[in-house]
């Protein structure tokens, strides 16, 4: 009998876990690719160091939120030492719930007039 894990039990996510899961929403990535995606998507405001990245990946693997891909790109096109990761269905549910949780917090702050128009309008 498989135990069903409640995705809400992982919330709130730590920032590194949030950024890694978000980077994997679009598909498989290797560690360095995740670091680049996070840096690019945050305009260099978040930089995951190797220790944080791989420590967090290890926890996400253990929690079943991501898996290591069995498939490998062509060896001539890629370094065979790279490990590729992808979201599990549980990981996708967790990141979706976390984004909804954060959106609710932003809405609460907006209702209190804590956001200026540029943020509320989506122009960060």
């Amino acid at each position: 009998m498989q135990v069903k894990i409640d995705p809400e039990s992982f919330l709130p996510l730590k920032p590194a876990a949030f950024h890694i899961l978000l980077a994997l929403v679009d598909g498989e990535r290797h560690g360095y690719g995740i670091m680049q995606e996070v840096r690019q998507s945050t305009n260099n405001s978040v930089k995951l160091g190797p220790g944080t990245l791989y420590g967090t990946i290890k926890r996400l693997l253990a929690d079943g939120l991501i898996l290591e891909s069995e498939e490998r790109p062509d060896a001539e096109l890629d370094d065979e030492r790279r490990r590729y990761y992808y979201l599990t269905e549980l990981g996708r549910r967790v990141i979706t719930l976390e984004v909804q949780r954060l959106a609710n917090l932003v809405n609460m702050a907006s209702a209190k007039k804590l956001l200026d128009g540029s943020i509320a309008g989506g122009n960060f």
Side-chain angles (χ1 to χ4, degrees):
M1 183 171 104
Q2 188 175 4
V3 177
K4 187 156 180 135
I5 299 172
D6 180 10
E8 290 189 17
S9 68
F10 295 98
L11 304 183
L13 289 173
K14 292 186 178 182
F18 174 81
H19 286 290
I20 292 168
L21 293 177
L22 192 60
L24 293 173
V25 165
D26 297 326
E28 288 185 8
R29 292 186 191 276
H30 52 76
Y32 184 67
I34 292 169
M35 287 172 48
Q36 289 177 313
E37 168 68 18
V38 170
R39 185 175 287 158
Q40 181 182 3
S41 68
T42 64
N43 291 324
N44 291 321
S45 66
V46 176
K47 296 174 185 162
L48 297 176
T52 300
L53 175 74
Y54 291 105
T56 304
I57 284 175
K58 185 176 179 181
R59 283 189 297 282
L60 294 172
L61 285 165
D63 288 341
L65 301 182
I66 65 173
L67 288 174
E68 186 175 329
S69 179
E70 300 279 330
E71 294 183 25
R72 308 294 305 156
D74 184 341
E76 292 181 17
L77 303 174
D78 192 44
D79 186 333
E80 65 186 33
R81 296 170 293 181
R82 286 185 174 161
R83 302 290 175 250
Y84 285 77
Y85 305 97
Y86 64 94
L87 282 178
T88 62
E89 185 58 38
L90 176 61
R92 188 169 294 281
R93 289 196 314 263
V94 168
I95 191 63
T96 299
L97 287 171
E98 181 68 346
V99 168
Q100 290 170 346
R101 185 187 74 80
L102 293 171
N104 288 337
L105 292 175
V106 169
N107 288 336
M108 288 169 38
S110 181
K112 301 277 187 182
K113 308 283 191 247
L114 292 174
L115 298 175
D116 68 24
S118 65
I119 294 174
N123 300 320
F124 299 96

